[in-house]
Amino acid sequence: MHLVQFELTNGERRVGAVDNGQVREVQDARSVRDLALAAIEAGSTLEQQVQTLGLGASHDYAQLLNDLRILPPLDHPDPAHMLVSGTGLTHLGSASARDKMHQQAGDEAAMTDTMRIFKWGVEGGKPAAGQAGVQPEWFYKGDGSIVVRPGQPFPLPPFAEDAGEEPEMAGLYIIGNDGKPYRLGFAVGNEFSDHVMERKNYLYLAHSKLRSCSYGPELRTGELPQHLAGTSRILRDGEVLWQNEFLSGEANMCHSLANLEYHHFKYSQFLRPGDVHIHFFGTATLSFADGIRTQPGDTFEISQADFGAPLVNGIAPVKAAFEPDSIGTL
């Protein structure tokens, strides 16, 4: 099942199931989060909860997308209770893309941290069931305020040195009232980052990730296929500037999803009932690694057939939210 959140012309929220170019409203549902919490309480799945409520009015999906009325497929009414995070060096081939930014050494003793963490993942990222494997690289992106809805541009702050796409799969989670994380499903994501800043020094990775992101437009319920092949492309003035295939799914990863999920949710501060988590699983495909430099007005398009409509976002400069020497005193 593919679910979306959207707005009516009067601004009211609805949840819909995608069906042959139409979005069918889920009866009496205003958010996927509420649906998920109700499913947990009922001991059912998200799909079963939708089937219990039933489907109603139909809307033209293309029109909703064109009118920018499609919302991220999972959010929280209080953005502070939504955590956006991710893991890197999780995909086979991801180290080579990263090492175009960080110099690779020959022997293990002189390896870069990039290659060392990748090697650990290859050796111990897929443990036996019930076991904890090696922990991955982990990063924080922000709270719900950084999420850009499908179709809208990523804000480019004045201090940014790059505006680079990262096509990834994202896991969508909610913490139940029992303090347990529940995975609702997956979505295509663009984990927008600053690769010029990261390339200066690996210790700037944390800074480079503090940017906006987008995911959706659809939440795909169920397990993630073992092999996924999608397309990431950048359009400039209506023409394709760059295009490449990106692979995901465990068949193309050096970590299992269960291992990545364990190493995120093992921290008790991430188990607050009612909170929402969006977790990006990494990528091995970057236009930056091919020498591409994006600019305002460019459009990112990330598509994967198993996830429905492509995720489209642009780039738009914004004013500084804070200036040097402008902090207040009390």
Side-chain angles (χ1 to χ4, degrees):
M1 181 177 288
H2 290 218
L3 298 175
V4 296
Q5 296 190 123
F6 65 100
E7 294 173 333
L8 301 177
T9 53
N10 63 5
E12 291 184 7
R13 290 174 58 115
R14 293 290 188 274
V15 176
V18 179
D19 181 21
N20 293 319
Q22 296 291 307
V23 172
R24 297 282 307 282
E25 287 187 25
V26 179
Q27 302 276 32
D28 301 319
R30 298 296 179 267
S31 77
V32 169
R33 176 178 176 271
D34 288 345
L35 271 178
L37 290 173
I40 294 169
E41 291 301 315
S44 65
T45 67
L46 191 59
E47 290 187 16
Q48 289 169 340
Q49 188 66 20
V50 170
Q51 291 165 356
T52 297
L53 293 175
L55 302 178
S58 292
H59 303 263
D60 184 79
Y61 190 18
Q63 190 65 50
L64 290 174
L65 287 166
N66 186 65
D67 293 345
L68 301 182
R69 289 194 279 133
I70 294 290
L71 301 166
L74 178 64
D75 56 7
H76 194 292
D78 180 357
H81 284 276
M82 180 172 166
L83 177 71
V84 185
S85 58
T87 46
L89 299 171
T90 53
H91 284 63
L92 302 173
S94 58
S96 61
R98 180 74 68 81
D99 246 29
K100 290 184 179 181
M101 294 186 281
H102 307 288
Q103 186 64 40
Q104 178 180 355
D107 61 87
E108 183 172 355
M111 278 184 178
T112 61
D113 285 340
T114 292
M115 293 306 297
R116 187 174 292 111
I117 290 179
F118 177 73
K119 182 173 182 289
W120 292 345
V122 171
E123 294 172 346
K126 293 184 175 181
Q131 300 295 312
V134 66
Q135 62 186 7
E137 174 190 57
W138 182 96
F139 60 84
Y140 169 75
K141 275 199 74 70
D143 63 16
S145 65
I146 69 162
V147 176
V148 173
R149 73 171 65 186
Q152 289 192 332
F154 292 119
L156 184 65
F159 56 80
E161 300 181 61
D162 179 43
E165 88 299 334
E166 294 205 11
E168 307 187 18
M169 294 299 119
L172 282 57
Y173 306 86
I174 191 167
I175 311 301
N177 291 327
D178 55 2
K180 177 182 176 179
Y182 291 83
R183 185 203 309 136
L184 283 65
F186 300 90
V188 169
N190 189 338
E191 194 267 294
F192 187 64
S193 298
D194 189 331
H195 300 114
V196 171
M197 181 175 290
E198 179 189 348
R199 186 175 62 178
K200 286 183 173 180
N201 188 300
Y202 191 71
L203 296 180
Y204 280 166
L205 174 70
H207 283 283
S208 75
K209 295 297 185 181
L210 294 175
R211 300 291 186 273
S212 297
C213 68
S214 190
Y215 53 92
E218 301 171 30
L219 183 162
R220 183 188 190 275
T221 60
E223 297 296 319
L224 190 69
Q226 287 288 304
H227 173 77
L228 290 166
T231 301
S232 177
R233 65 176 184 167
I234 301 172
L235 305 176
R236 179 173 294 170
D237 299 325
E239 302 291 332
V240 176
L241 174 69
W242 174 88
Q243 178 172 307
N244 207 344
E245 180 183 58
F246 74 95
L247 302 176
S248 195
E250 287 190 354
N252 300 296
M253 298 173 69
C254 55
H255 284 266
S256 65
L257 293 177
N259 192 51
L260 298 178
E261 291 172 332
Y262 165 72
H263 284 295
H264 177 70
F265 289 111
K266 68 184 180 183
Y267 298 105
S268 60
Q269 62 265 42
F270 295 163
L271 299 175
R272 184 165 49 198
D275 279 10
V276 165
H277 290 248
I278 309 299
H279 192 78
F280 287 92
F281 289 117
T283 188
T285 304
L286 303 172
S287 66
F288 182 83
D290 291 337
I292 299 298
R293 300 296 179 270
T294 62
Q295 63 189 36
D298 289 350
T299 298
F300 301 113
E301 183 179 284
I302 298 174
S303 58
Q304 213 295 321
D306 291 284
F307 287 80
L311 175 63
V312 178
N313 299 97
I315 309 171
V318 295
K319 295 180 179 179
F322 183 77
E323 299 287 353
D325 301 321
S326 61
I327 193 167
T329 58
L330 294 176

